[in-house]
Amino acid sequence: MRHWVVLEALAFCRRSAVRWLVVVWPALILLAAWSTEHVHRQIEGATNALKSDEIRHYEGLLQTARKLESGEIASDSLPWFQNPTNPLVAGLFRASGHHAVKPTSDFRWVAVGFADVRTPVYQVKMGRVTPPSAITLENPLNQALGRFDTAFLLVYLLPLLVIVLGYDLLSKDRSNGWLDLTRTYGQPLWALAIARGVIHGIFWWVLTMSALWLSAAWISRVQWPLFLSLGTAIALYLLVFLILTVVVNRSSRSPVRNGLNLVTGWLLFLVLIPSMANALLMAAHPPPQRSDDVAARRAAEVRAEWDVDSPAGTAGWQDYWLTEFQRRALTDSLHTVATSQINQSMDIRHRKARQLEWLSPALRFQSELLQIAGVSAAQYAAFDKDVAAFESRWTAHFLPAFLAQRLLTMEELARRPVFSPP
Amino acid sequence: MSIATTVRNEWRVWSRNRLLSGLSLLFLGLSLYAGINGRVHQERIRQARQDAEDRVRIAWENQRDKNPHSAAHFGTYVFKPISPLWFFDHGVDRYVGVSLFLEGHRQHDLQHKPIQDDTALGRHNELTPAFFLTYLMPLLVILAAYGSVSGERDRQTLPLVYSMMDRRRWIVAKWSASAILVSGLVFAAFLIQAAVLWTTSGTLTDLMVLAALALVYVVYGLVFLTICMLVSGWSRSTSVSFAVSVVVWVIASFLLPRLVSVWSEVRYPLPSAHGFRSELARDLREGVDGHDPFSETATRLLEETLTQHGVDKVEDLPFNWSGYIMQEGEKHESAVYQRHMDRLSGLHLSQIDLHRQLAWLSPVGAMRLMSMEASGTGLRETYRFRAEAEQYRMRLVGELNRDLMDHFEYGDWDGKRSASFFATNVTFRYPEADRLPVIRAMAESAAVLLGWLLVQGIVLVGVVARRSPV
């Protein structure tokens, strides 16, 4: 039995396609990992630049504040909007505010996911959270055509390669008569099919994991818990397609018929079911129309303008900004219904999408990969919630001083809240 | 044996092939579903954006009394209209925003990309008629043609066929039979889409664009057919022919367009967003800033204006200096933004051209581009919208600045305008696109595909026919 399995393994390794794939497949994975990491580095570069600007800005404010404290600069020589101890200057105006940055995974090179469409950084100011106008200036066409990332290779190409090498797992021997000869040695058909399936599985798993280990070592570091999760996910995904290959080979006689059935399976799991599931979700739970939201927000802003009186022309800057805060608060409260409707609709869509993922192993596998890379829609949604909570902390640090019409102490200016996601 | 007999025989074989007939019907059925589904969403989006446009205008006209320049900062929104052929191909629409905030002094980016609200399912291919035609139609072609030559070789009937008919004529006959099938499928799918277009606000021009697109898709299908027959002619068995054809399809449809995207980013690198904004800010500082009348450029402009009007003081000018400097600042800012945006869009368009140039590697990327442009959902349409919105912004802010110039005293920042004034302000009108360049671009791409087809045809007839029949 053992000799027979070894012979099968040797026969597998002698196939010219296998020799080619041993070189091409890891090379493709390394290229995809580099390409994925390149996208993440561009995003990281942009967020780092924003953080550096923030650090420089606050260093400047602290320097001026120290000079004010030591009397090097007379406090009445600075207009109120340049005084760094003014809570509005330190917490709201111009470049003031804190950049809350989404932490990245060590295995971010596994997938681009939502990293190129969702913002990984927000500028948090008193009473507002603003995303940067753009993190990268990427061509939308390249996004629409799809990413050449590691996840694409693993989700789309890996099962196809399994099919290409395995569509004639048994049927080739059956059609040329070798199968009957092999069975005369006393090996049952199922044992032969399983043994060949296992050989294929081990080959693909070892080859893929080796390439991924190389990528991890080259790009970041091999974090074993993540690597093991990745290995398990790949093993399960391979198992689905290997079982499919074995079952199709057991039931059909011609290699072409097998190929056709397996490619149809690939097409169903990888192309048709995901697209149909998305179409189903769109029909049953259409995404919110942001144009509605913009119009609702605008209507709320106009209503708040009318409801909160502007200060008289002679009023001071405190009155002006007090009115501004009141208007913003009223706008937010008037807009709450529209916001909560959107959030509710989004929650339902994400919940349903997670349920629909079970329709195809490709969808489940992709979801796992995005999770491992830290770029899933759920992780970005959680980040948005953390930022919203942080905005309350930031505002609470500055607003009481503004309302009390007092300046900040050096301690308050230096010890600003810092975003640290749970 | 004549060409007509061979074509008839081929069709007889296909008519008995239940899988091919079933999948062809499924293809047409799903195309119909995708068209209707797209049409329903299109109407919903069109309605929502139109409503939002109206509500935003109402908000503009009912804003609280304020100074015209404060109104310029209050700003307004415009929404990207949806093209009548959106149902056919959604293009890059999900990856560019839907709303644009317009205010004095600055140009904003389009906001609220629909993909940002999408689930992980949304990052897969969208179920559109263009998706079926671009990705799945080649699979049907493979199914019909993978055994066209290798099947005869498998059955060992190829020497017999060659003895009955000239090899080249036989290959042309086989190709013609499949070409009729491909053309029939494409035209049937397009007839369905034309019927869907009939129910939208599509015009005769849109119908013509759709017809032109149908012709290009036929050529695209024939390119895949010829590739498949080449593979079939070279392969020793049908199983190899099928496997290689499918691998070619996957590489051409999924792998190469992605690799070309990576290559385009390496070949035409884009500036970092931070660097882009820093350069923009630097250039903005070099001109007039309407909010900084004491800057060097503003002081110089004041001196020139005073000399031009032969007065000594800003108060003696025949107009409000504040409104004038705001408008001058606006001109400078708009020119700077335009210059930088042109540089960026130039890089984007160079990347797109690379996809077009590399159509000989994989026609799928080029076909997708063409389908997007024809459907009015390509990047050029987004740039056109931005340009129109910018022109509108300049007209609106110009009206407000002129009002400040002509009807307010210098230093009168407390003077206000009411709803009756805001109601007279210019509204946004988005002109219809000129489709002639699109049709011209389609003709150019079709010419490239035809060139491809010709070369493949020569190889098919010249080389495959010489290959040993056993």
Side-chain angles (χ1 to χ4, degrees):
Chain A
M1 170 79 182
R2 208 178 62 216
H3 297 299
W4 166 71
V5 174
V6 170
L7 280 175
E8 285 289 341
L10 281 175
F12 174 78
C13 294
R14 285 185 63 191
R15 292 172 71 169
S16 60
V18 170
R19 289 203 294 272
W20 271 98
L21 284 167
V22 167
V23 179
V24 174
W25 182 237
L28 270 176
I29 288 183
L30 283 169
L31 181 65
W34 168 82
S35 165
T36 318
E37 180 64 12
H38 178 68
V39 174
H40 285 294
R41 283 201 181 155
Q42 278 183 326
I43 295 166
E44 193 177 50
T47 52
N48 285 347
L50 291 171
K51 290 296 284 181
S52 306
D53 284 353
E54 180 191 326
I55 291 166
R56 267 200 300 278
H57 173 73
Y58 277 104
E59 275 172 0
L61 288 187
L62 278 167
Q63 213 172 2
T64 314
R66 276 190 213 104
K67 284 180 183 170
L68 275 172
E69 199 180 42
S70 65
E72 203 177 321
I73 298 176
S75 58
D76 51 359
S77 68
L78 276 182
W80 68 269
F81 54 85
Q82 283 179 3
N83 187 337
T85 54
N86 184 314
L88 294 183
V89 175
L92 177 67
F93 287 177
R94 292 180 182 268
S96 291
H98 179 65
H99 286 96
V101 180
K102 182 180 171 299
T104 56
S105 159
D106 278 341
F107 271 35
R108 63 185 186 182
W109 51 268
V110 168
V112 172
F114 280 82
D116 59 343
V117 290
R118 297 285 296 259
T119 180
V121 57
Y122 287 98
Q123 193 177 25
V124 178
K125 290 172 174 257
M126 275 171 79
R128 67 170 88 154
V129 175
T130 45
S133 56
I135 275 293
T136 60
L137 304 170
E138 211 173 353
N139 192 338
L141 178 81
N142 288 343
Q143 294 175 314
L145 286 178
R147 286 277 173 201
F148 179 70
D149 61 356
T150 321
F152 159 70
L153 289 186
L154 298 177
V155 175
Y156 279 80
L157 288 197
L158 184 60
L160 194 79
L161 292 173
V162 169
I163 289 170
V164 167
L165 278 196
Y167 75 100
D168 55 357
L169 200 70
L170 294 178
S171 54
K172 190 180 173 187
D173 286 352
R174 186 183 276 138
S175 58
N176 61 24
W178 277 101
L179 199 63
D180 292 333
L181 187 68
T182 315
R183 288 173 77 181
T184 57
Y185 289 101
Q187 296 303 332
L189 191 61
W190 62 264
L192 189 68
I194 289 174
R196 285 185 179 178
V198 168
I199 290 166
H200 279 239
I202 289 173
F203 168 76
W204 283 115
W205 192 81
V206 170
L207 189 64
T208 306
M209 291 312 290
S210 310
L212 291 173
W213 181 83
L214 265 177
S215 305
W218 173 42
I219 289 167
S220 56
R221 63 196 171 92
V222 184
Q223 214 194 35
W224 288 106
L226 282 178
F227 194 69
L228 285 176
S229 308
L230 191 60
T232 313
I234 290 172
L236 289 172
Y237 191 53
L238 274 174
L239 194 65
V240 171
F241 281 92
L242 283 168
I243 290 173
L244 196 68
T245 309
V246 169
V247 168
V248 166
N249 266 277
R250 282 268 295 153
S251 57
S252 168
R253 295 202 163 264
S254 123
V256 175
R257 175 59 70 178
N258 286 351
L260 204 62
N261 289 341
L262 287 168
V263 168
T264 308
W266 181 87
L267 203 67
L268 267 178
F269 285 141
L270 273 297
V271 182
L272 285 177
I273 290 179
S275 301
M276 294 291 280
N278 191 34
L280 200 70
L281 186 68
M282 292 275 277
H285 303 281
Q289 290 297 320
R290 288 290 174 179
S291 49
D292 281 348
D293 186 47
V294 169
R297 175 95 199 163
R298 182 98 303 206
E301 281 168 355
V302 170
R303 169 91 187 274
E305 266 191 345
W306 285 100
D307 285 3
V308 179
D309 279 334
S310 301
T314 51
W317 59 269
Q318 280 105 339
D319 291 330
Y320 171 80
W321 279 98
L322 202 57
T323 311
E324 193 61 29
F325 282 124
Q326 284 169 350
R327 279 185 179 163
R328 277 187 201 169
L330 184 58
T331 305
D332 288 342
S333 70
L334 289 170
H335 191 228
T336 310
V337 179
T339 313
S340 62
Q341 273 173 355
I342 285 185
N343 289 342
Q344 210 176 353
S345 140
M346 295 292 290
D347 285 346
I348 293 172
R349 275 175 60 76
H350 282 291
R351 205 171 52 243
K352 296 286 174 194
R354 277 196 295 276
Q355 288 168 0
L356 286 170
E357 276 172 8
W358 289 101
L359 288 176
S360 159
L363 288 173
R364 276 301 310 145
F365 181 51
Q366 189 197 34
S367 180
E368 282 306 312
L369 293 181
L370 296 195
Q371 198 71 25
I372 287 169
V375 289
S376 68
Q379 282 159 320
Y380 277 91
F383 169 64
D384 288 356
K385 280 184 184 152
D386 292 339
V387 172
F390 175 72
E391 187 270 321
S392 309
R393 272 179 63 207
W394 181 265
T395 305
H397 185 77
F398 295 98
L399 194 61
F402 167 72
L403 293 175
Q405 300 201 359
R406 69 170 178 84
L407 295 175
L408 297 171
T409 61
M410 278 299 285
E411 173 81 2
E412 282 172 321
L413 184 58
R415 295 194 154 216
R416 301 175 306 278
V418 175
F419 178 72
S420 49
Chain B
M1 199 160 66
S2 69
I3 289 181
T5 318
T6 313
V7 171
R8 263 200 305 277
N9 279 343
E10 200 70 6
W11 272 86
R12 195 173 298 131
V13 172
W14 284 333
S15 66
R16 290 172 192 157
N17 185 341
R18 281 190 201 158
L19 184 69
L20 185 64
S21 326
L23 286 178
S24 300
L25 281 176
L26 187 69
F27 168 78
L28 292 176
L30 285 173
S31 296
L32 174 67
Y33 169 75
I36 293 172
N37 191 38
R39 165 79 180 78
V40 170
H41 286 299
Q42 175 174 332
E43 187 50 28
R44 203 168 61 84
I45 296 170
R46 192 195 64 75
Q47 192 66 50
R49 291 188 193 170
Q50 186 57 54
D51 285 353
E53 191 99 37
D54 295 344
R55 286 162 69 192
V56 162
R57 179 67 193 181
I58 291 168
W60 173 262
E61 290 178 7
N62 289 286
Q63 60 184 301
R64 195 169 175 156
D65 298 358
K66 53 171 76 92
N67 183 277
H69 195 67
S70 302
H73 278 289
F74 181 69
T76 189
Y77 289 88
V78 287
F79 300 90
K80 190 169 180 279
I82 197 158
S83 129
L85 282 171
W86 184 88
F87 73 89
F88 183 79
D89 190 343
H90 305 172
V92 297
D93 265 17
R94 288 196 310 155
Y95 296 87
V96 294
V98 298
S99 69
L100 189 57
F101 180 52
L102 307 176
E103 65 164 329
H105 306 300
R106 63 183 71 152
Q107 285 185 29
H108 291 275
D109 286 326
L110 277 156
Q111 293 295 312
H112 303 119
K113 299 173 184 174
I115 189 74
Q116 290 173 329
D117 289 333
D118 230 323
T119 62
L121 295 176
R123 297 228 75 176
H124 287 269
N125 289 305
E126 287 175 291
L127 212 60
T128 60
F131 164 73
F132 282 106
L133 282 157
T134 313
Y135 292 94
L136 301 192
M137 186 258 286
L139 260 188
L140 280 179
V141 172
I142 291 173
L143 200 62
Y146 75 92
S148 54
V149 183
S150 58
E152 304 281 356
R153 191 176 277 131
D154 259 3
R155 289 189 292 273
Q156 297 178 347
T157 50
L158 202 53
L160 188 68
V161 170
Y162 281 178
S163 70
M164 289 163 69
M165 193 178 175
D166 176 64
R167 293 177 178 200
R168 289 188 183 87
R169 280 165 63 86
W170 181 75
I171 287 173
V172 168
K174 280 270 189 182
W175 186 88
S176 307
S178 307
I180 295 169
L181 177 77
V182 172
S183 313
L185 266 178
V186 172
F187 283 127
F190 269 92
L191 271 178
I192 291 170
Q193 302 317 319
V196 176
L197 178 69
W198 191 254
T199 65
T200 69
S201 57
T203 59
L204 191 65
T205 320
D206 294 316
L207 198 65
M208 279 166 62
V209 169
L210 205 61
L213 202 55
L215 289 176
V216 183
Y217 264 108
V218 168
V219 180
Y220 171 74
L222 296 183
V223 166
F224 266 98
L225 168 66
T226 319
I227 293 174
C228 191
M229 282 192 67
L230 270 170
V231 172
S232 185
W234 275 100
S235 306
R236 289 262 162 231
S237 69
T238 41
S239 61
V240 172
S241 162
F242 180 75
V244 173
S245 298
V246 168
V247 169
V248 167
W249 171 73
V250 169
I251 291 175
S253 303
F254 299 99
L255 191 61
L256 281 176
R258 284 170 161 85
L259 284 172
V260 173
S261 289
V262 174
W263 171 238
S264 72
E265 281 166 10
V266 174
R267 176 84 179 75
Y268 299 104
L270 299 170
S272 73
H274 188 263
F276 182 79
R277 275 195 293 268
S278 305
E279 283 178 29
L280 186 71
R282 186 199 61 208
D283 288 358
L284 284 173
R285 278 195 298 273
E286 283 173 5
V288 178
D289 175 357
H291 280 290
D292 187 3
F294 306 111
S295 69
E296 199 182 315
T297 43
T299 315
R300 204 179 321 126
L301 179 69
L302 177 62
E303 281 165 11
E304 283 167 15
T305 315
L306 290 175
T307 313
Q308 201 182 342
H309 287 86
V311 292
D312 297 328
K313 286 190 299 179
V314 69
E315 289 85 353
D316 295 339
L317 282 169
F319 48 78
N320 178 358
W321 168 248
S322 304
Y324 182 77
I325 196 176
M326 288 294 176
Q327 188 56 20
E328 287 303 305
E330 207 63 61
K331 284 180 193 163
H332 162 69
E333 285 149 359
S334 179
V336 170
Y337 271 106
Q338 208 50 50
R339 197 167 62 239
H340 284 270
M341 289 311 294
D342 284 350
R343 186 165 63 97
L344 182 63
S345 53
L347 284 168
H348 281 172
L349 294 177
S350 300
Q351 292 185 342
I352 291 177
D353 282 342
L354 195 68
H355 281 275
R356 211 165 267 136
Q357 287 159 16
L358 294 178
W360 59 269
L361 262 179
S362 157
V364 178
M367 199 61 233
R368 278 224 60 189
L369 269 177
M370 208 185 309
S371 154
M372 286 177 194
E373 297 293 346
S375 305
T377 54
L379 205 52
R380 281 176 210 274
E381 184 59 20
T382 304
Y383 289 145
R384 191 173 79 87
F385 172 70
R386 277 197 68 111
E388 291 292 336
E390 174 55 13
Q391 277 187 22
Y392 169 64
R393 188 187 76 84
M394 282 300 284
R395 282 203 301 276
L396 179 66
V397 175
E399 263 183 24
L400 299 169
N401 284 338
R402 262 193 306 282
D403 186 55
L404 193 66
M405 256 174 84
D406 298 340
H407 303 114
F408 288 77
E409 292 293 321
Y410 176 67
D412 176 17
W413 291 107
D414 290 331
K416 285 174 183 164
R417 284 290 185 190
S418 63
S420 58
F421 168 76
F422 295 124
T424 63
N425 290 146
V426 63
T427 49
F428 180 58
R429 293 268 177 273
Y430 190 55
E432 270 196 26
D434 178 11
R435 310 305 289 273
L436 204 64
V438 173
I439 295 178
R440 203 178 296 133
M442 276 202 284
E444 282 170 18
S445 301
V448 174
L449 285 177
L450 274 172
W452 236 95
L453 191 60
L454 197 69
V455 173
Q456 288 174 342
I458 291 167
V459 176
L460 181 70
V461 176
V463 181
V464 173
R466 281 191 201 158
R467 206 166 151 74
S468 162
V470 285

